[in-house]
Amino acid sequence: MAKNTADRKKWHPATLAIHGLERLPKAHHAVSTPIMHTSNYYFDTADEVEDFMRAKGQGKVIREHEYARYGNPTQQETERKLAALEGAERAVLYSSGMAAVLLAIMTFMKPKGHIIFTGDCYRQTRDFAINFLGKFGIEYSIVDPTAEAIEKAITPETNIIFTESPTNPYLRVLDIPAIVKVAKERKILTIIDATLATPYNIRPIEMGVDVVIHSATKYLGGHNDLMAGVALGSNALMTDLYKMQRMIGATPGPLTCFLLERGLKTFGMRMEQHNRAGLAVAQMLEAHPKIEKVWYPGLPSHPDYEIGKEQMQGFGSVISFLVKGGNTETRKFIDALELFLITPSLGGSESLVTQMWAMSFFDYSEEYRQNIGMVDNLVRLALGLEHEDDLIADLQQALDTI
Ligand SMILES: *Cc1c(COP(=O)(O)O)cnc(C)c1O
């Protein structure tokens, strides 16, 4: 077996996603990681139990696995690869992106603390703040997705800044180094949900962010066929997160981890295609007479184009835009699409389309929807891995129908 060397850290994300930082021995020299479907792991002797427990009490690991809520070997291998890919010391995998978001907040929140969230954020994250944080006596602010607005919102009790970049659906790109600088001066923990960027397009750990979160359901899994989440950061912070994860059991099953690790093998190629198709489709839409406005950070017309150019390697395949007209025209366009499936989510092999207000914000009041920008003719595309020429042709024929 080739020796494990530190040079692996210089590998491109596409390579790290396949090999990680170390090659671990596998039963029967299998190339792929086995799916270990077991709920518990036995000991050979009664003495071994005592040795194991004593070592564990001293923080030593003399054998890896014990009980499936605490993790499984397929998960462990996938976590190692994800950590290598992100450039983080350690990854903790969860059964969903939201489990990662909530358990990260709940692990690090403090009594009477204050948490800053950025607006245009994932709806469930916002709803958790609005509906649940108060029960724990935690204050929060939801501010514009800019470094200046975040700085202004800081109070003496602020101990977490939770941001997304790019945001969803308006794809605002935050000035991460500026946020990190302000946070570090005041000893505030920074958490970023970088699901829409992935470690291919943005490198938050290298910019000093404490905790990175991804919904692995999206680009990391990449095939619209699994649900998982991941948090990444230093060993110390991830050890805290892991305590809560293993207690609650928001642990992904071994089959999910196998699918995720398998998805990672094509991560680099998939992201290249997502970035290429995203830009091509955004440019086509912006030039189209039936489109009122497009939001895509790779377009010079986007408010955060300059920050994006500096901080991102590519801009992904989520594009939001306004169709000229109202609800009727927008729905006619959506129904005329042939390649795009009407469903939320993003980052998979199939292209998806949503009319944002109806799909994700239906139960909010009209006034609140308008406030957060969920207007009738706002459409979000999440491009899949089809050829961009076919996607463009499909969008053009659908726009021709209105
Ligand atoms: C999808 C998504 C989540 C939630 O992830 P799940 O895997 O669906 O739980 C959180 N944040 C962002 C930005 C997302 O796109």
Side-chain angles (χ1 to χ4, degrees):
M1 198 195 302
K3 61 181 190 294
N4 291 319
T5 67
D7 287 339
R8 289 184 173 224
K9 283 197 173 151
K10 293 195 187 129
W11 281 350
H12 191 279
T15 311
L16 283 169
I18 299 170
H19 293 286
L21 284 177
E22 54 199 330
R23 187 177 295 166
L24 303 172
K26 292 207 181 93
H28 312 295
H29 289 79
V31 171
S32 66
T33 310
I35 302 166
M36 208 73 82
H37 245 296
T38 181
S39 53
N40 36 2
Y41 301 80
Y42 67 87
F43 294 83
D44 285 322
T45 65
D47 276 354
E48 204 187 318
V49 177
E50 194 180 332
D51 293 344
F52 172 70
M53 291 301 168
R54 184 170 298 112
K56 198 162 91 166
Q58 295 161 351
K60 281 188 233 140
V61 181
I62 58 172
R63 55 174 267 171
E64 299 276 6
H65 294 287
E66 180 185 357
Y67 188 58
R69 180 161 25 81
Y70 305 160
N72 65 77
T74 326
Q75 173 188 358
Q76 196 174 33
E77 177 91 11
T78 312
E79 283 176 344
R80 286 197 170 118
K81 287 201 175 145
L82 287 165
L85 176 60
E86 190 75 55
E89 281 177 7
R90 183 171 170 192
V92 178
L93 266 170
Y94 295 86
S95 48
S96 74
M98 279 317 294
V101 168
L102 261 64
L103 293 178
I105 294 170
M106 291 167 80
T107 300
F108 298 120
M109 66 191 186
K110 64 165 194 196
K112 302 197 173 66
H114 173 251
I115 306 178
I116 298 173
F117 295 90
T118 38
D120 198 36
C121 66
Y122 192 67
R123 178 187 163 166
Q124 303 294 335
T125 304
R126 186 205 318 264
D127 283 2
F128 174 66
I130 295 173
N131 298 324
F132 292 98
L133 278 181
K135 293 189 186 182
F136 300 106
I138 313 281
E139 306 259 335
Y140 65 89
S141 306
I142 302 177
V143 304
D144 280 350
T146 66
E148 300 79 59
I150 290 171
E151 185 168 7
K152 257 193 229 145
I154 293 173
T155 76
E157 300 309 325
T158 306
N159 72 314
I160 300 174
I161 295 174
F162 188 106
T163 63
E164 289 176 26
S165 189
T167 64
N168 175 18
Y170 286 108
L171 300 149
R172 299 299 304 270
V173 183
L174 280 87
D175 188 347
I176 298 170
I179 296 165
V180 166
K181 184 168 175 286
V182 167
K184 286 220 188 300
E185 281 164 11
R186 294 168 173 82
K187 295 197 167 49
I188 300 170
L189 185 85
T190 47
I191 307 179
I192 182 167
D193 176 344
T195 298
L196 267 67
T198 80
Y200 206 82
N201 285 338
I202 219 167
R203 311 291 303 170
I205 298 275
E206 285 158 25
M207 295 186 227
V209 169
D210 295 309
V211 179
V212 181
I213 286 173
H214 300 286
S215 165
T217 312
K218 316 291 169 58
Y219 290 109
L220 294 172
H223 294 78
N224 289 325
D225 62 2
L226 66 84
M227 173 143 282
V230 62
L232 306 110
S234 67
N235 269 324
L237 291 174
M238 293 306 109
T239 300
D240 287 347
L241 281 184
Y242 176 59
K243 279 183 199 151
M244 181 87 101
Q245 187 250 33
R246 57 176 264 150
M247 200 182 298
I248 289 184
T251 317
L255 177 59
T256 293
C257 295
F258 176 85
L259 289 171
L260 175 52
E261 196 197 342
R262 184 188 160 104
L264 287 177
K265 296 181 189 191
T266 52
F267 176 67
M269 293 168 68
R270 290 190 286 104
M271 289 314 296
E272 284 295 322
Q273 175 59 23
H274 281 300
N275 287 343
R276 181 168 53 239
L279 188 60
V281 169
Q283 284 167 342
M284 181 283 283
L285 289 170
E286 187 160 57
H288 199 282
K290 296 213 171 123
I291 299 293
E292 193 180 315
K293 189 171 166 57
V294 180
W295 286 268
Y296 184 74
L299 294 176
S301 59
H302 191 277
D304 302 320
Y305 174 69
E306 292 299 329
I307 301 179
K309 230 175 29 177
E310 239 167 68
Q311 292 185 12
M312 300 180 74
Q313 273 70 55
F315 307 99
S317 61
V318 177
I319 304 159
S320 297
F321 55 94
L322 301 177
V323 174
K324 271 189 192 158
N327 211 22
T328 312
E329 290 78 5
T330 306
R331 290 198 176 176
K332 196 159 181 216
F333 157 72
I334 288 175
D335 287 345
L337 288 166
E338 199 172 323
L339 270 173
F340 291 76
L341 303 172
I342 305 173
T343 172
S345 200
L346 59 104
S349 27
E350 293 80 10
S351 285
L352 316 177
V353 60
T354 51
Q355 188 183 15
M356 287 303 290
W357 81 265
M359 182 68 78
S360 302
F361 297 90
F362 189 79
D363 48 327
Y364 281 130
S365 72
E366 170 76 26
E367 192 195 345
Y368 190 79
R369 280 205 300 262
Q370 296 292 331
N371 265 343
I372 58 171
M374 295 306 143
V375 290
D376 286 2
N377 56 340
L378 177 67
V379 176
R380 189 188 76 187
L381 299 181
L383 307 183
L385 296 170
E386 304 90 344
H387 196 285
E388 60 267 32
D389 291 351
D390 294 329
L391 295 173
I392 286 174
D394 191 30
L395 289 160
Q396 280 169 335
Q397 69 74 25
L399 285 167
D400 284 346
T401 65
I402 56 175

